[in-house]
């Protein structure tokens, strides 16, 4: 339980609600919950509310309703007991309040049990299954976002950094961008979607990577394929446009 | 499937799945009988727990699941670059306990037990997906009924609602 500390001369525990405060008073006075000395508890309860007022703390309406209830019970306790009533409930004006306090206490105990479990479990992690290529993308609805040129370049840069710099430069370029474009389009024909990295599977030289990348950009520009990304920093997919390839090709 | 492979195959499925696997799922994946699966799973759970390694198997949220050893939470979180989720406050835990044991329950009923307005806490619990709306009560004004979620079970590592500690008998010793 937290306490207001420091500048105040009185230490005032903060209670969530009136039941909380009552349970605290019962505990502090070491009295039997089934036989609450209602005069004593009511006095201390009202003192607490006074303190809250003095400290300028906002007093929730619930606290005031309970104050009224306590005073009502206290006054009923002063009345002579009618022998005609047959049940405990009717005889003891405190009965209803006690039942409420007991029920509330039971849930407070249960909350402590949950707290312990939370302590044990809050750092437990589960495996995140690895997406298995295009099949997975069909089964689960992937959230795909259009990727912009800068993101695409960023992804390519990462790929480039993983490739060792060439020691020997092979100058005779055998593969033109056009060749590469048709190769990519051919690969795309056979599948719904292609991982960005898969495009570069056959490229071991940085210069080849570059040709492939430029070819891809050209394909995207012509609208022959689209690039999407799963979330931020997720896998980039190259996807054949479904319906309108004809129209776009013509354009 | 050969007899000697059965247990290993079940173990493998748990490894591959991130989600808790139900008996039904394991059955359709392996073709084994219910009792055979539950027996083998019990063995696996015991094997892992005896080994006290980095990974454990348990019954969570209605299925079997592999998860990191709670005793090594600090390291698991470090690896993932994650921080512990913010702990629930006592009022939130109290409210959650009431909803868990008394579901389906309306907010007004929760407030009757707590003796205090619970708008804020219920919202927090909804936001964290630990509780959800499960219907409307057939009563004037048709108030919303709340219940706990699957995330609730996962958050506390519970197999199902019967896994909740029994609510202490309302009897209480003298408040001493």
């Amino acid at each position: 339980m937290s306490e207001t500390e420091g500048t105040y001369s009185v230490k005032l525990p903060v209670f969530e609600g009136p039941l909380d405060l009552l349970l605290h008073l019962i505990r502090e006075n070491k009295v039997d919950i089934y036989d609450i000395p209602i005069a004593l508890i009511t006095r201390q309860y009202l003192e607490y509310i006074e303190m809250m007022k003095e400290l300028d703390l906002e007093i929730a309406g619930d606290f005031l309703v309970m104050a009224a209830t306590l005073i009502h019970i206290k006054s009923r306790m002063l009345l002579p007991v009618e022998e005609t009533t047959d049940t405990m409930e009717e005889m003891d004006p405190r009965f209803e309040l006690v039942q409420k306090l007991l029920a509330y206490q039971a849930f407070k105990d249960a909350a402590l049990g949950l707290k312990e479990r939370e302590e044990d479990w809050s750092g437990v992690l589960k495996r995140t299954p690895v997406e298995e290529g295009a099949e997975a993308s069909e089964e689960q609805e992937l959230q795909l976002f259009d990727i912009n040129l800068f993101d695409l370049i960023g992804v390519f840069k990462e790929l480039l950094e993983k490739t060792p710099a060439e020691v020997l430069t092979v100058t005779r370029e055998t593969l033109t961008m056009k060749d590469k474009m048709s190769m990519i389009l051919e690969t795309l024909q056979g599948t719904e979607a292609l991982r960005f990295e898969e495009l570069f599977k056959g490229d071991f030289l940085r210069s080849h990577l570059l040709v492939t990348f430029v070819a891809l950009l050209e394909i995207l520009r012509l609208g022959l394929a689209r690039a999407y990304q799963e979330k931020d920093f997720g896998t980039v997919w190259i996807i054949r446009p479904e319906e309108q390839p004809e129209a776009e090709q013509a354009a | 499937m050969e007899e000697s492979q059965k247990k290993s195959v079940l173990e493998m499925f748990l490894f591959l799945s991130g989600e808790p696997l139900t008996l039904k799922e394991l059955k359709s994946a392996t073709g084994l009988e219910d009792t055979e699966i539950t027996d083998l799973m019990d063995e696996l759970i015991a094997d892992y727990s005896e080994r006290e390694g980095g990974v454990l198997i348990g019954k969570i949220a209605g299925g079997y699941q592999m998860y990191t050893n709670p005793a090594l939470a600090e390291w698991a979180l470090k690896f993932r670059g994650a921080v512990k989720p913010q702990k629930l406050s006592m009022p939130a835990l109290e409210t959650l306990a009431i909803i868990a044991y008394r579901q389906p329950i309306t907010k007004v009923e929760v407030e009757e037990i707590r003796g205090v307005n619970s708008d804020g806490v219920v919202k927090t619990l909804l936001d964290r997906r630990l509780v959800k709306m499960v219907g409307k009560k057939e009563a004037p004004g048709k108030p919303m009924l709340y219940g706990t979620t699957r995330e609730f079970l996962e958050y506390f590592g519970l197999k199902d609602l019967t896994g909740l500690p029994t609510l202490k008998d309302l009897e209480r010793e003298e408040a001493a």
Side-chain angles (χ1 to χ4, degrees):
Chain A
M1 200 161 290
S2 61
E3 293 184 341
T4 50
E5 282 174 331
T7 51
Y8 298 121
S9 54
V10 258
K11 274 193 174 180
L12 193 64
V14 174
F15 296 99
E16 242 267 302
L19 293 176
D20 233 357
L21 171 54
L22 281 177
L23 284 173
H24 169 79
L25 293 176
I26 288 165
R27 223 177 8 248
E28 210 179 50
N29 288 292
K30 296 185 164 52
V31 295
D32 184 356
I33 195 163
Y34 292 102
D35 188 17
I36 301 171
I38 206 79
L40 172 76
I41 298 295
T42 303
R43 199 186 69 233
Q44 290 185 354
Y45 183 93
L46 295 173
E47 278 170 9
Y48 179 86
I49 290 192
E50 268 315 304
M51 253 196 284
M52 281 171 86
K53 270 189 202 157
E54 273 170 40
L55 293 173
D56 245 354
L57 294 174
E58 204 184 322
I59 302 164
D62 303 310
F63 279 98
L64 301 176
V65 173
M66 180 58 76
T69 307
L70 286 172
I71 293 165
H72 181 65
I73 293 173
K74 195 175 128 188
S75 64
R76 274 181 64 199
M77 295 287 286
L78 298 173
L79 297 174
V81 179
E82 291 173 44
E83 292 300 331
T84 48
T85 48
D86 40 14
T87 58
M88 266 294 281
E89 292 98 284
E90 286 166 78
M91 262 162 60
D92 194 336
R94 298 169 298 184
F95 185 82
E96 203 181 317
L97 179 63
V98 171
Q99 290 308 308
K100 268 192 112 153
L101 286 170
L102 287 172
Y104 181 58
Q105 182 63 53
F107 286 114
K108 274 177 84 78
D109 292 344
L112 284 177
L114 286 180
K115 195 180 170 62
E116 268 173 43
R117 289 203 74 95
E118 182 189 38
E119 191 60 50
D120 288 349
W121 279 86
S122 58
V124 172
L125 301 179
K126 326 279 161 51
R127 243 176 68 75
T128 327
V130 181
E131 307 266 338
E132 296 295 340
E135 277 168 32
S137 79
E138 275 171 8
E139 281 168 24
Q140 313 170 340
E141 282 232 358
L142 282 179
Q143 279 205 302
L144 294 178
F145 297 96
D146 270 303
I147 186 170
N148 67 33
L149 183 62
F150 296 105
D151 290 335
L152 203 57
I153 290 173
V155 178
F156 179 63
K157 226 180 114 216
E158 272 175 39
L159 194 78
L160 209 55
E161 277 159 9
K162 283 186 212 154
T163 313
E166 282 120 78
V167 184
L168 291 170
T169 323
V170 182
T171 42
R172 218 179 59 193
E173 193 55 70
T174 49
L175 209 61
T176 67
M177 190 187 83
K178 271 214 160 141
D179 293 338
K180 197 68 211 182
M181 273 176 74
S182 36
M183 278 170 71
I184 293 174
L185 289 174
E186 223 169 273
T187 322
L188 265 177
Q189 280 305 315
T191 173
E192 292 271 295
L194 208 59
R195 269 169 200 265
F196 180 75
E197 294 84 357
E198 283 177 65
L199 290 175
F200 303 92
K201 258 198 302 212
D203 302 321
F204 300 107
L205 298 176
R206 282 168 159 251
S207 50
H208 288 179
L209 289 172
L210 272 168
V211 172
T212 307
F213 186 63
V214 174
L216 173 68
L217 290 182
E218 186 63 12
I219 288 172
L220 295 176
R221 192 182 70 82
L222 292 171
L224 301 177
R226 296 203 169 160
Y228 292 98
Q229 188 167 29
E230 287 172 33
K231 299 166 284 187
D232 284 341
F233 312 112
T235 309
V236 174
W237 295 92
I238 308 302
I239 295 170
R240 196 155 37 100
E242 290 293 316
E243 303 297 325
Q244 338 81 320
E246 253 62 38
E248 275 179 290
Q249 242 167 331
Chain B
M1 196 185 310
E2 284 183 36
E3 197 59 38
S4 61
Q5 294 178 331
K6 288 176 180 171
K7 195 155 106 180
S8 304
V9 169
L10 288 171
E11 181 188 24
M12 180 178 74
F13 286 163
L14 287 190
F15 171 74
L16 289 171
S17 167
E19 302 280 301
L21 283 176
T22 61
L23 183 59
K24 208 174 138 196
E25 286 167 325
L26 287 171
K27 194 181 175 177
S28 79
T30 58
L32 297 176
E33 291 300 317
D34 283 2
T35 51
E36 210 171 3
I37 296 173
T38 50
D39 287 351
L40 288 168
M41 287 309 308
D42 285 346
E43 278 182 40
L44 272 174
I45 289 171
D47 293 348
Y48 272 72
S49 128
E50 265 166 46
R51 204 172 71 91
E52 290 185 56
V55 176
L56 295 173
I57 295 175
K59 295 176 192 169
I60 296 176
Y64 295 97
Q65 189 166 36
M66 233 179 219
Y67 51 81
T68 63
N69 188 338
L72 304 169
E74 188 194 335
W75 295 100
L77 290 165
K78 198 172 172 188
F79 179 75
R80 276 274 176 90
V83 286
K84 270 196 179 193
Q86 211 197 337
K87 296 269 173 64
L88 294 166
S89 66
M90 273 321 284
L93 284 166
E94 240 175 67
T95 307
L96 192 53
I98 293 169
I99 294 175
Y101 286 98
R102 289 283 158 86
Q103 60 186 311
I105 185 171
T106 66
K107 190 169 65 63
V108 171
E109 288 163 347
V110 170
E111 287 171 341
E112 269 165 26
I113 295 173
R114 297 188 65 223
V116 67
N117 178 294
S118 304
D119 286 335
V121 240
V122 170
K123 192 181 173 299
T124 306
L125 295 175
L126 282 169
D127 287 347
R128 293 193 59 166
R129 291 165 181 248
L130 296 168
V131 303
K132 64 179 177 196
M133 294 169 194
V134 292
K136 286 189 177 169
K137 191 173 178 164
E138 286 302 325
K142 302 235 172 194
M144 208 61 89
L145 286 165
Y146 297 94
T148 52
T149 60
R150 178 199 166 114
E151 283 89 345
F152 165 79
L153 295 176
E154 290 186 351
Y155 186 75
F156 292 102
L158 295 165
K159 179 189 161 208
D160 50 40
L161 286 172
T162 63
L164 282 170
T166 40
L167 201 54
K168 260 193 216 139
D169 200 45
L170 293 188
E171 293 287 319
R172 215 178 139 242
E173 311 136 57
E174 294 186 354

